[in-house]
Amino acid sequence: MSLSTLRIATRKSALALWQAEHVAALLRAAHPGLAVELVPMSTRGDEILDRPLATIGGKGLFLKELEVAMLEGRAELAVHSLKDVPAELEPGFVLPAILPRADAADAFVSNHHADLAALPHGARVGTSSLRRQAQLRAARPDLQLRDLRGNVGTRLAKLDAGEYDAILLACAGLERLDFAARIRSRLAAPEWLPAPGQAAIAIEARADQPAVHALLRALDDAETRVCITAERAMNHALGGSCTVPVGAWCVRTEHGLDLRGLVGDAASGELIVAGACGAASEPDALGVQVAQALLAQGARALLDRGR
């Protein structure tokens, strides 16, 4: 097989397929004559829906089968929501391209209430994210937080069936699937922090395929990459995974990078927040600096509790 064709391993959910098709269209536009095919696959993370993600191995479950497909030569690349990519990739894999970031805010979705403050006492809110749960507990300790798994359509259907008074989803995912009208209000930085890398699409490939990297380079967004590098470096320095509530938000400023980080406790709503500014040329160092500031405030106890 020549590099006149690229095969994209992707999950079968509507959002994953949208993202893979989006990448395929960008590749075809950047390289006229290049054939791009999708290889839809089911992952353990998609199949096990009756347990919280944190208890069955975390978001890495969404990547494993796609990585095996690349190792076995059934695909040259995989497309992911970057927030689902572990802080440390499996050996032999790299992220040659990160697309421009979309709206990184979380979405408050409800059929009867305008925003988080409008929810009645004891309202039922659905989210499987420990990061969202920790921030919800801090803002509204009276709420009943209930686990919510499944793809975007399934989660909206559960809300519409009356199982929840509100649910939290990612704005970017709703907008990509033409559900932007369901967003009642945005939970946004700096008051509310997203997951590291939220709203960015990452393209993963084998490290030993430079010809594939060369084709992907045209899609890489330098500004998104530098900001997300800082966020992921912070997460990595904390040993972050989906079993601990970690939030991060980095933006470019006229002076460099501004990174804010959060470690929380989903059970108590305790939040530890820190931030720092640094040079855009050293995003990794900035991420480590903010992680150390969080640890200095006692984040280790929350991280250990989460694990």
Side-chain angles (χ1 to χ4, degrees), residues 21-258:
E21 290 282 12
H22 180 61
V23 167
L26 292 173
L27 282 167
R28 293 182 191 114
H31 306 288
L34 178 70
V36 186
E37 302 171 358
L38 267 55
V39 183
M41 304 177 65
S42 183
T43 71
R44 285 196 69 222
D46 295 305
E47 293 164 358
I48 304 174
L49 297 176
D50 59 347
R51 282 173 280 166
L53 198 58
T55 67
I56 59 172
K59 292 178 177 177
L61 291 177
F62 292 132
L63 278 70
K64 189 62 181 174
E65 284 85 349
L66 309 186
E67 290 174 339
V68 170
M70 289 187 281
L71 287 174
E72 294 179 347
R74 290 180 282 127
E76 286 70 49
L77 55 116
V79 174
H80 310 294
S81 295
L82 188 49
K83 69 182 178 67
D84 292 339
V85 178
E88 188 168 2
L89 289 174
E90 287 292 319
F93 290 97
V94 292
L95 301 177
I98 297 173
L99 273 56
R101 191 177 213 162
D103 184 351
D106 281 336
F108 177 88
V109 182
S110 176
N111 292 327
H112 305 292
H113 308 286
D115 54 29
L116 187 58
L119 284 174
H121 185 90
R124 301 158 300 160
V125 180
T127 173
S128 57
S129 161
L130 297 178
R131 171 191 58 82
R132 289 171 180 153
Q133 289 177 14
Q135 293 182 92
L136 278 170
R137 286 237 188 268
R140 289 287 307 271
D142 61 291
L143 298 174
Q144 298 180 55
L145 305 188
R146 299 189 176 178
D147 198 53
L148 177 65
R149 294 287 312 282
N151 60 39
V152 172
T154 298
R155 297 184 191 199
L156 290 171
K158 289 180 177 181
L159 171 71
D160 293 341
E163 295 181 33
Y164 308 90
D165 297 298
I167 61 175
L168 299 191
L169 298 169
C171 284
L174 289 167
E175 289 165 352
R176 287 166 180 157
L177 294 176
D178 294 326
F179 287 126
R182 299 298 301 264
I183 301 171
R184 294 296 298 271
S185 63
R186 296 168 67 256
L187 298 163
E191 293 80 18
W192 179 284
L193 295 191
Q198 184 159 314
I201 295 172
I203 306 176
E204 183 182 21
R206 284 167 48 174
D208 61 357
Q209 295 190 322
V212 174
H213 303 176
L215 290 172
L216 296 175
R217 206 164 290 132
L219 275 56
D220 190 53
D221 184 72
E223 181 159 330
T224 298
R225 179 177 285 275
V226 72
C227 290
I228 279 170
T229 297
E231 295 174 16
R232 287 173 59 79
M234 185 207 84
N235 196 29
H236 185 257
L238 292 170
S241 71
C242 86
T243 64
V244 292
V246 173
W249 176 243
C250 184
V251 293
R252 282 292 294 261
T253 70
E254 56 183 313
H255 304 295
L257 298 177
D258 183 350

